[in-house]
């Protein structure tokens, strides 16, 4: 255990978050997401919700301020304007927790998968709400 570090941030996950560089992306994925088959390293967090994982990750991860959209969700198939419960929750967490809050930009399902395939890592949570997936782009911490 470490002081002031959320205990759901496992040693493997802390290592990945620290090893990421500016502009690298990490996916926080729900239980239905095809994480193992995409290609990036998959870090299992089956006992955690995506919301809890997002809150924990943002406690140590700065969002990128050099891009217009440092956070992306998966758009609802056949209803791209819908905002799923999980995504609304993600937005509240970003607004309350991120060092530089940003609006979550939706990506079409297959565009989301393609972007996730080039991420630094995927955190597979036990999230059961549909569309409980988010991609975060790491920013910098100023000197």
């Amino acid at each position: 255990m470490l002081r002031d570090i959320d205990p759901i941030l496992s040693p493997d996950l802390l290592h990945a978050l620290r090893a990421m560089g500016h502009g690298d992306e990490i996916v926080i994925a729900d239980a239905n997401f095809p994480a193992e088959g995409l290609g990036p390293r998959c870090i299992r967090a089956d006992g955690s919700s995506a919301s809890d994982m997002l809150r924990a990750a943002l406690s140590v991860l700065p969002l990128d301020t050099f891009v217009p959209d440092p956070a992306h969700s998966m758009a609802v198939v056949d209803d791209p304007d819908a905002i799923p419960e999980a995504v609304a929750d993600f937005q509240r967490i970003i607004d309350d927790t991120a060092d530089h809050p940003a609006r979550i930009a939706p990506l079409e399902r297959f565009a989301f998968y393609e972007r996730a395939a080039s991420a630094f890592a995927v955190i597979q949570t036990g999230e059961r709400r549909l569309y409980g997936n988010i991609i975060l782009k790491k920013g910098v911490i100023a000197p």
Side-chain angles (χ1 to χ4, degrees):
M1 296 290 294
L2 296 173
R3 187 175 307 132
D4 299 327
I5 300 289
D6 192 309
I8 69 170
L9 295 175
S10 68
D12 288 341
L13 182 49
L14 281 171
H15 178 265
L17 292 169
R18 177 63 177 94
M20 291 171 63
H22 178 218
D24 281 341
E25 293 183 330
I26 193 155
V27 180
I28 298 173
D30 65 26
N32 290 304
F33 194 78
E36 295 284 350
L38 279 180
R41 177 178 172 205
C42 180
I43 301 167
R44 303 297 300 204
D46 300 296
S48 300
S49 73
S51 291
D52 288 344
M53 186 56 67
L54 175 61
R55 188 175 295 103
L58 288 175
S59 74
V60 296
L61 180 85
L63 287 180
D64 198 341
T65 59
F66 294 96
V67 297
D69 301 315
H72 289 89
S73 64
M74 183 186 295
V76 175
V77 175
D78 296 328
D79 191 3
D81 294 327
I83 300 175
E85 175 191 339
V87 176
D89 194 29
F90 294 163
Q91 188 63 66
R92 283 189 294 277
I93 293 166
I94 288 173
D95 292 344
D96 293 343
T97 308
D99 54 343
H100 297 340
R103 301 305 307 164
I104 299 171
L107 289 174
E108 182 274 332
R109 177 181 170 213
F110 292 107
F112 188 95
Y113 288 148
E114 185 175 317
R115 190 160 186 157
S118 64
F120 187 89
V122 177
I123 305 164
Q124 180 94 59
T125 70
E127 179 64 61
R128 297 194 52 193
R129 293 176 295 179
L130 298 178
Y131 296 96
N133 308 296
I134 189 166
I135 299 173
L136 304 174
K137 185 178 286 287
K138 186 177 183 181
V140 297
I141 298 174

